[in-house]
Amino acid sequence: MIGKVIAAESDKITARILLDDIETVNMGDLLVIESRFKYLARVSSIFSRNIGEPNLPDKMAVLTDRIDDMESLFGNQFYYAAECGILGVLDSGIKPAKTIPKFLSKIRKAESKDLKFLLKEGKNYIKIGKLRNMDLPITIDIDSFITKHAGVFGKTGSGKSNTIKVIIREMITHRIPCLVFDIHGEYGYKRGLGGMENVIVVGLPGSESDVSLTVPLQMITPGDVRVMTTLTEAQEDAVALIYKRSGRGWLEYLSQTGTEDIVSNFENKIQIITVLALQRKIERIVNYNFIGRDFDSLNYILEKIKQEKIIIIDFGDYEHDDWAIKLITSIISRFLLNKYKKYKKEGHKTKETLLVLEEAHKLLNRDTAKKTVFSNIVREGRKFNLGLCVVDQMPQKIFEEILAQLNTVIIMLLTNIKDREHLILSSENDLSDFKKEMKRLDIGEAIITGISVPFPIPAKIDLFKKGHSKEESFDQFEFNELDI
Ligand SMILES: Nc1ncnc2c1ncn2[C@@H]1O[C@H](COP(=O)(O)OP(=O)(O)OP(=O)(O)O)[C@@H](O)[C@H]1O
Ligand SMILES: [Mg+2]
């Protein structure tokens, strides 16, 4: 026993902690309260209190250099307490608590045997770590993790990418396809899953990859350009006219036709100054060396995903090029969403597939989120078995409507108060109990909350280690015609 209940209120209790045990109780610890029912609770704050005169701490303060033992002077007037959120009632699993425990119910630390129900077997569950301070593996329900969308948030170096690598390693075993937008080269050959069986690194120039990424120019829509840069009203009108006439060939037309010819082709409905500005803007896009006309990586990626492979898009030299990041993530994700929609319409079954977006704030900030395909994916991807996992070090920059759609949130160390507050205010999961704990997590420690776990789990994520290497050589993949 480490203490007893001294106050209770619907979903929380205050525990008196025995003096000698105070430093064995950690924020986030799981406790069991033995009353008529067995309640599971979680420590959300720890503090000291005193009874009697309100100025007792002051009296003690002025005497601190002369006394070592308070009790000989003041008697038994000081005690330690912890506030704990009630997570539920243990009953061969966990059920919502509709009652509160009695005064003075005994409290002890939760043990592995209390929480065995967490360890679920089967193809729907993956193991990603252990309960903090306990030798009990944690499993998450991968189906709801994927299709109900997820977020992994923590400051730089807190262990986000390691968490995703551990999740993906499990997905390889379960043969669940996944595509990672690996902006900073954390998942490919250098530090990640590159070379493992069933993993394909599709790279931009500057990366070590299995195949190079080539995106057809025809796949770029006016919407993609809007995500990358702002267009004036006149430029919007001009793009609409050109797109109406040239369709998918609009960028080719705009980049390869003389400025004055464009003006006259459109009977002066577009001003020369507008055409010049647009041509300047799109020149950079058209000249990207990953834009190609022959090989089409999109169908290659789709085919490999259908074969339940893991695709890593390594951005190589483009890791700091926001335009390239926005363009590539948008095109590939839209292509997959449209294909998955089409398959559903045709009555074909698709396997649930996870898209992982690192540096998510670049696309999912307040200004651009709604313009991106990712807002469609979090809204309707579930119907088509396509899920999004958002990874970011600054959740304060992620648009709240996106955060609200992430039904599993893995919180790692967050030292910035604005990040913590934004996450708590925007998430559909009630994260307020973890406000203090979020800033005290060690590297690799996490709070896993939401739909894929039975209650918010204090976790220590496994450290990723590379698994089996592949032996097969890369098969050639060619398309006779562009299927877009
Ligand atoms: N679960 C873990 N157990 C032990 N060490 C870990 C764990 N997670 C991360 N680390 C250590 O911390 C380092 C940083 O982790 P990681 O690259 O996952 O952080 P990150 O949050 O993705 O950072 P960034 O935002 O800079 O990309 C790892 O290289 C590893 O050494
Ligand atoms: Mg990272």
Side-chain angles (χ1 to χ4, degrees), residues 77-324:
Q77 298 200 63
F78 286 85
Y79 68 96
Y80 294 109
E83 204 147 88
C84 312
I86 297 181
L87 301 173
V89 167
L90 295 173
D91 176 20
S92 65
I94 188 161
K95 294 190 309 196
K98 294 182 179 148
T99 52
I100 53 169
K102 285 191 207 139
F103 278 124
L104 302 181
S105 300
K106 286 184 182 160
I107 301 175
R108 61 175 172 83
K109 291 263 183 91
E111 296 164 23
S112 300
K113 66 175 175 8
D114 300 308
L115 303 168
K116 271 207 179 104
F117 65 92
L118 283 179
L119 191 57
K120 298 209 172 89
E121 301 287 346
K123 66 175 177 45
N124 225 12
Y125 296 95
I126 62 167
K127 284 198 197 100
I128 63 166
K130 291 207 163 125
L131 267 174
R132 224 147 61 209
N133 307 325
M134 238 185 264
D135 194 26
L136 187 72
I138 297 162
T139 50
I140 60 171
D141 177 334
I142 192 66
D143 184 46
S144 47
F145 183 86
I146 296 176
T147 57
K148 307 240 167 83
H149 316 296
V152 179
F153 303 108
K155 69 178 279 190
T156 177
S158 60
K160 301 179 296 296
S161 303
N162 178 75
T163 303
I164 297 289
K165 282 183 247 185
V166 170
I167 292 174
I168 295 177
R169 192 189 55 200
E170 289 287 293
M171 287 170 67
I172 298 174
T173 320
H174 285 60
R175 301 195 68 90
I176 301 172
C178 175
L179 185 141
V180 185
F181 293 111
D182 179 16
I183 314 292
H184 297 304
E186 297 175 272
Y187 296 88
Y189 272 94
K190 256 185 269 157
R191 291 179 277 162
L193 303 122
M196 277 173 70
E197 214 170 324
N198 289 319
V199 175
I200 301 169
V201 183
V202 180
L204 278 99
S207 65
E208 188 184 348
S209 64
D210 298 312
V211 285
S212 313
L213 182 82
T214 315
V215 174
L217 188 66
Q218 301 98 295
M219 284 303 287
I220 304 174
T221 64
D224 294 328
V225 178
R226 261 178 234 127
V227 172
M228 291 192 280
T229 177
T230 323
L231 297 178
T232 63
E233 217 169 292
Q235 289 167 2
E236 284 282 3
D237 292 343
V239 166
L241 285 171
I242 297 169
Y243 193 71
K244 198 167 166 211
R245 187 177 293 179
S246 308
R248 288 190 180 277
W250 75 286
L251 274 180
E252 197 152 2
Y253 170 80
L254 196 50
S255 59
Q256 289 182 5
T257 315
T259 315
E260 280 165 17
D261 291 341
I262 294 178
V263 174
S264 73
N265 284 351
F266 284 88
E267 291 142 12
N268 294 317
K269 282 194 201 124
I270 310 177
Q271 289 198 341
I272 194 156
I273 183 168
T274 309
V275 178
L276 274 171
L278 271 177
Q279 285 182 319
R280 248 198 326 274
K281 275 190 176 162
I282 62 141
E283 191 187 347
R284 180 165 155 203
I285 302 174
V286 174
N287 288 334
Y288 274 136
N289 55 7
F290 54 81
I291 300 287
R293 284 167 183 79
D294 308 326
F295 183 76
D296 157 25
S297 301
L298 300 174
N299 281 298
Y300 174 85
I301 290 169
L302 178 68
E303 214 47 43
K304 294 297 169 193
I305 282 180
K306 282 199 226 160
Q307 295 166 16
E308 299 161 345
K309 308 270 188 211
I310 306 293
I311 304 285
I312 311 289
I313 309 286
D314 188 329
F315 278 74
D317 292 342
Y318 289 85
E319 65 173 323
H320 299 298
D321 186 330
D322 282 4
W323 276 31

